[in-house]
Amino acid sequence: MEEIQSQSDNYRSSSSSASSPASRVPSSNFFYLRKPGAFRQPISFEDSPDWEDTDIEVKVEEGGGDSINAATTPVSPSLSKINSGSLPSPPLPEGVNVARKTAGASIAWKDLTVAIKGKRKYSDKVVKSSNGYAFPGTMTVIMGPAKSGKSTLLRALAGRLPDSARTYGEVFINGVKSRLPYGAYGFVERENTLIGSLTVREYLYYSALLQLPGFLYKKRSAVEDAIHAMSLGDYANKLIGGHCYMKGLRSGERRRVTIARELVMRPHILFIDEPLYHLDSVSALLMMVTLKKLASTGCTLIFTIYQSSTEVFGLFDRICLLSNGNTLFFGETLACLQHFSNAGFPCPIMQSPSDHFLRAINTDFDRIIAMCKNWQDDHGELSSVNMDTAVAIRTLEATYKSSADAAAVETMILKLTDKEGPLLRSKDRASCCTKIAILTWRSLLIMSREWKYYWLRLIIYMFLALCIGTVFSGLGHSLSSVETRVGAIFIFVSFTSLLSIAGVPAQLKDIKIFFCEEANQHSGALVFLVGQLLSSIPFLFLLSISSSLVFYFLVGLRDDFSLLMYFALNFFMCLIVNEGLVLLVASICRNTFWSIIILVNIHMVMILSAGLFRIRSALPRVVWMYPTSYVAFHTYSIQGLLENEYSGASFAVGQVRSLSGYQALQNVYDVSADSNSKWENLLVLFLMAVGYRLLVFVLLQFRVRKALFSRCISCCSKNTNNPR
């Protein structure tokens, strides 16, 4: 403590230009001074919500307004004290008249500790004994440097921790220790997972169809409310974009679309991981003003943030400051400035509060100072905080634990948990059949617009069929042409199957969207697979028909309509099987580079064992014949096509002797003499297509069940270690 006190005194004496917010009153435009009389009041019992009056009524007059506080009736007595300043809000479309009651929900957490094995080198505890709360109609921000536990704390409150996490402590929703049910909350990930080929309104509408049951007009109303809430009216009919070939929305608008997707359910609590991620200062301010207006409707907002501008910082209601998992402060934003001043680190006049906070508690600055310790600029020292960061963290933590702010937080949590409020109930969901139909139709719409992954692939298939057909054209139907025609069919099946690897990026994007929707319980493994299969059938059928017609007539196969239809059907099933294989590998790897590498090697091994380069009966029995040649779908596809072409055919040998098609193929390719063998090969292809998708289903279901099991274990450990 003597070391801490001496360095703290040294800082006070060396920072003549800095003083506490309470001791200096600059000009009226100073960032954390709001309108006269609008200072935050100290935390008191009056801040707790009144459970009998949790709804608010929001009325937005035509033409919008010039204040971000649009609520006319507060959610609780505490909300009447909130003055959000005079920053201009984004204008709403003309004629908008919103009148809707929104029931918020309070959340409080007590002694919340999260341990993740292997997450930290020095300790498994990522969050340590955190206490805090959030009220309806307010914005609570979790701030701290990188790897301080911000996202972990946010996920712990929402019940979305990874499989390896263990949680200890208590989380109360409206005074009741329970998990958040479906539809009661929304969670926005840090990364935007959107569908670039849809417009904003289309994307939100399909999301509403997946989430909400009931009539279509109600879903359209929810979509329009979400669009207006996030100020997306000017972008509603624009493509989201995001691809290198498709111009779309900027990062700020894309981020607001991601948040609007969760607002479709009209949640009581909204969790956002880094809402300002990859946003410039203007987009960040617009985002926070929009979220402030959203909070004024009664929704409880909790989000993480790494750093913010002065204007953005002034919009926060409460701040939870973390460093290395330790809570250095929880309370109102102005109280945090006072806390740093009391600890000996007042915020300089010309510095942003968030910059000052992070400078004091981010250990990475120690390395910078060590590198530049002998360097000084024209204005003096490199850092305004001339003490070791570890000492600053210990000082701030010790000051907070002994402060009235920490005692007030504990008292408030006790008051919130002493009286139980309304229990949040799970909302209804769309039926499984409805979700399958919606996903199928949405995928068909995506395929019709994304020419890079689908229509370009169709052109490449037809070009390949044209090349192979012209190379092997004019073969005739003599006995000497049998071996060459077998090679042509083998090359056609093998090369077109290899080209299907071009669909890996599209499959990975579908998988990424699935995991995002499944995490929010909007979809499921069975719904995803059935919808993906049904939507791919028209496209693959178009591929098979167009390519088969070009190849069939150029090579000059037998002129029979039934044989042509079997050829197209066989090739169609081959593509279905191949799509299942690509989906399986992409689900395992979930990486474009490794998926392509693995698929290329799998196809090479299957092609080598398919029986052209060496007849299957002559292959080495270990590995190549069993099991490789039997799991290669090329084998059954090519066998069926050759049996379709040469079954019932005969070739004259001399004047009196003739050979059947089976005898002509004996020394070229291993086929069956049974006339029904080609249908058996087609059945094997169908079973392989089903088998691959069953494997994908098991894989996806295993990951989902593992996550659910981990959450249940986490909840059980919380209840066991912290009985109420």
Side-chain angles (χ1 to χ4, degrees):
M1 288 302 294
E2 293 180 358
E3 178 190 3
I4 295 176
Q5 185 64 34
S6 62
Q7 294 205 42
S8 180
D9 293 340
N10 181 30
Y11 174 74
R12 291 191 183 95
S13 62
S14 63
S15 301
S16 59
S17 62
S19 61
S20 68
S23 63
R24 49 187 164 90
V25 182
S27 60
S28 60
N29 61 352
F30 194 51
F31 70 92
Y32 49 74
L33 287 183
R34 304 170 189 260
K35 295 179 180 179
F39 277 105
R40 303 280 182 171
Q41 299 297 326
I43 300 174
S44 66
F45 289 112
E46 295 180 358
D47 288 328
S48 61
D50 185 3
W51 299 125
E52 285 72 29
D53 186 20
T54 57
D55 294 344
I56 68 171
E57 183 176 357
V58 180
K59 294 182 180 179
V60 181
E61 300 296 337
E62 184 174 349
D66 59 354
S67 175
I68 59 176
N69 190 2
T72 58
T73 303
V75 176
S76 67
S78 66
L79 298 183
S80 62
K81 302 174 184 178
I82 296 176
N83 188 332
S84 52
S86 58
L87 290 172
S89 62
L92 293 176
E94 295 183 2
V96 174
N97 187 11
V98 182
R100 187 180 76 247
K101 291 185 177 181
T102 303
S106 76
I107 180 171
W109 58 98
K110 180 180 179 182
D111 295 329
L112 190 60
T113 299
V114 181
I116 303 178
K117 190 174 183 180
K119 185 75 173 179
R120 298 282 190 270
K121 293 182 179 179
Y122 48 85
S123 174
D124 291 338
K125 293 183 178 180
V126 183
V127 178
K128 307 169 187 176
S129 300
S130 177
N131 296 322
Y133 55 89
F135 291 150
T138 63
M139 295 198 307
T140 303
V141 58
I142 304 173
M143 182 181 289
K147 297 182 180 180
S148 60
K150 304 186 299 295
S151 297
T152 303
L153 176 58
L154 189 75
R155 291 180 176 276
L157 297 177
R160 294 169 62 106
L161 286 169
D163 303 342
S164 57
R166 293 294 178 268
T167 307
Y168 310 93
E170 297 170 306
V171 177
F172 299 88
I173 310 298
N174 283 349
V176 181
K177 187 166 64 173
S178 63
R179 294 187 62 202
L180 287 165
Y182 173 78
Y185 78 102
F187 191 94
V188 181
E189 297 282 357
R190 180 180 305 176
E191 295 289 344
N192 297 323
T193 304
L194 302 172
I195 304 176
S197 54
L198 299 179
T199 65
V200 172
R201 182 172 278 112
E202 287 173 342
Y203 177 74
L204 295 179
Y205 183 59
Y206 282 118
S207 180
L209 292 175
L210 287 174
Q211 299 179 52
L212 302 172
F215 299 102
L216 294 180
Y217 75 89
K218 293 183 179 179
K219 301 176 184 180
R220 287 195 177 96
S221 175
V223 169
E224 295 304 320
D225 289 342
I227 290 174
H228 294 152
M230 296 310 297
S231 302
L232 291 168
D234 294 337
Y235 310 97
N237 296 318
K238 291 185 179 180
L239 289 175
I240 295 174
H243 305 298
C244 58
Y245 62 91
M246 186 184 296
K247 185 179 179 181
L249 304 180
R250 294 175 297 180
S251 56
E253 286 79 30
R254 291 171 59 84
R255 193 66 175 145
R256 280 186 278 154
V257 172
T258 306
I259 298 174
R261 179 189 62 203
E262 300 304 316
L263 295 182
V264 169
M265 284 293 291
R266 294 170 178 167
H268 303 282
I269 305 175
L270 183 61
F271 301 94
I272 311 176
D273 193 5
E274 296 282 0
L276 308 184
Y277 190 59
H278 287 169
L279 299 188
D280 56 58
S281 57
V282 176
S283 299
L285 180 58
L286 178 59
M287 169 69 76
M288 295 312 302
V289 170
T290 306
L291 291 179
K292 188 69 176 180
K293 291 188 69 173
L294 175 64
S296 70
T297 65
C299 184
T300 306
L301 264 64
I302 305 176
F303 53 87
T304 64
I305 197 170
Y306 176 76
Q307 202 166 9
S308 68
S309 64
T310 301
E311 294 85 356
V312 169
F313 181 82
L315 296 174
F316 301 152
D317 292 301
R318 289 181 179 84
I319 180 173
C320 178
L321 194 62
L322 297 180
S323 180
N324 296 328
N326 298 307
T327 302
L328 304 186
F329 179 81
F330 183 90
E332 298 196 1
T333 51
L334 291 181
C336 187
L337 288 167
Q338 185 64 49
H339 168 65
F340 269 73
S341 180
N342 294 338
F345 312 109
C347 180
I349 296 178
M350 301 302 294
Q351 191 171 6
S352 168
S354 63
D355 291 341
H356 177 67
F357 297 161
L358 294 178
R359 170 60 195 90
I361 65 176
N362 193 343
T363 56
D364 292 336
F365 278 102
D366 292 339
R367 290 181 291 178
I368 299 176
I369 294 176
M371 292 170 56
C372 308
K373 61 182 178 179
N374 297 324
W375 178 85
Q376 289 185 346
D377 57 18
D378 296 336
H379 302 285
E381 297 182 358
L382 176 68
S383 172
S384 61
V385 180
N386 57 3
M387 69 183 302
D388 185 79
T389 305
V391 177
I393 292 174
R394 292 198 298 269
T395 304
L396 290 166
E397 186 178 6
T399 303
Y400 173 68
K401 288 182 177 179
S402 60
S403 68
D405 293 317
V409 171
E410 294 180 359
T411 305
M412 181 59 64
I413 294 175
L414 182 62
K415 181 175 176 58
L416 287 173
T417 57
D418 184 58
K419 181 180 179 182
E420 295 186 357
L423 185 65
L424 300 182
R425 292 182 174 84
S426 179
K427 297 182 180 180
D428 295 332
R429 315 185 190 198
S431 64
C432 185
C433 294
T434 301
K435 291 182 179 181
I436 291 175
I438 296 304
L439 287 179
T440 302
W441 184 253
R442 188 181 71 178
S443 298
L444 286 173
L445 182 60
I446 294 171
M447 289 180 183
S448 66
R449 293 180 179 177
E450 294 197 358
W451 63 269
K452 183 178 180 181
Y453 293 143
Y454 298 100
W455 298 113
L456 183 60
R457 186 175 164 191
L458 174 62
I459 295 173
I460 293 175
Y461 267 70
M462 293 188 65
F463 177 74
L464 178 62
L466 180 65
C467 291
I468 298 175
T470 52
V471 168
F472 291 95
S473 62
L475 292 178
H477 294 277
S478 62
L479 183 61
S480 60
S481 67
V482 172
E483 186 173 354
T484 308
R485 186 173 277 104
V486 170
I489 294 175
F490 185 91
I491 291 174
F492 175 73
V493 172
S494 301
F495 282 20
T496 51
S497 300
L498 196 60
L499 275 180
S500 65
I501 298 177
V504 167
Q507 298 278 23
L508 286 173
K509 186 170 65 173
D510 288 343
I511 294 171
K512 185 177 181 181
I513 293 171
F514 158 73
F515 277 108
C516 176
E517 293 178 339
E518 190 280 328
N520 293 324
Q521 304 179 48
H522 303 165
S523 182
L526 180 62
V527 171
F528 166 71
L529 288 175
V530 175
Q532 198 264 355
L533 175 62
L534 293 178
S535 62
S536 65
I537 286 177
F539 174 72
L540 295 179
F541 187 74
L542 180 61
L543 274 181
S544 62
I545 286 292
S546 58
S547 303
S548 297
L549 288 174
V550 173
F551 175 82
Y552 197 92
F553 289 108
L554 284 177
V555 175
L557 300 181
R558 292 168 64 184
D559 190 9
D560 189 303
F561 181 75
S562 62
L563 299 182
L564 172 61
M565 286 297 98
Y566 177 86
F567 188 98
L569 182 61
N570 182 293
F571 185 52
F572 170 71
M573 290 305 305
C574 181
L575 293 178
I576 291 282
V577 174
N578 202 16
E579 288 292 304
L581 176 61
V582 172
L583 185 61
L584 176 62
V585 174
S587 300
I588 296 174
C589 299
R590 298 176 66 179
N591 178 275
T592 303
F593 175 79
W594 288 111
S595 297
I596 292 176
I597 291 295
I598 292 174
L599 283 169
V600 167
N601 283 273
I602 289 175
H603 276 274
M604 288 173 55
V605 172
M606 287 184 174
I607 290 171
L608 287 174
S609 62
L612 177 68
F613 304 104
R614 192 173 183 184
I615 296 178
R616 287 179 63 196
S617 57
L619 287 172
R621 290 185 174 273
V622 180
V623 178
W624 289 104
M625 186 173 182
Y626 303 104
T628 306
S629 66
Y630 284 91
V631 298
F633 64 89
H634 305 70
T635 303
Y636 306 100
S637 178
I638 295 169
Q639 275 185 356
L641 294 178
L642 291 177
E643 290 162 356
N644 179 65
E645 176 66 17
Y646 290 103
S647 178
S650 61
F651 300 91
V653 181
Q655 296 292 330
V656 287
R657 189 171 169 226
S658 64
L659 291 177
S660 65
Y662 170 73
Q663 291 174 326
L665 287 172
Q666 262 188 328
N667 296 324
V668 180
Y669 204 87
D670 191 6
V671 296
S672 174
D674 188 359
S675 59
N676 295 322
S677 179
K678 68 177 185 179
W679 299 107
E680 294 174 358
N681 286 315
L682 194 64
L683 177 61
V684 172
L685 289 175
F686 174 78
L687 294 176
M688 292 183 75
V690 174
Y692 278 130
R693 279 165 174 78
L694 283 177
L695 290 176
V696 176
F697 173 77
V698 171
L699 177 65
L700 297 179
Q701 196 72 4
F702 172 75
R703 290 183 176 179
V704 171
R705 291 293 178 88
K706 187 178 179 182
L708 291 175
F709 177 76
S710 175
R711 293 172 190 171
C712 292
I713 292 296
S714 176
C715 291
C716 290
S717 62
K718 277 198 297 184
N719 296 335
T720 302
N721 290 277
N722 297 278
R724 186 172 178 179

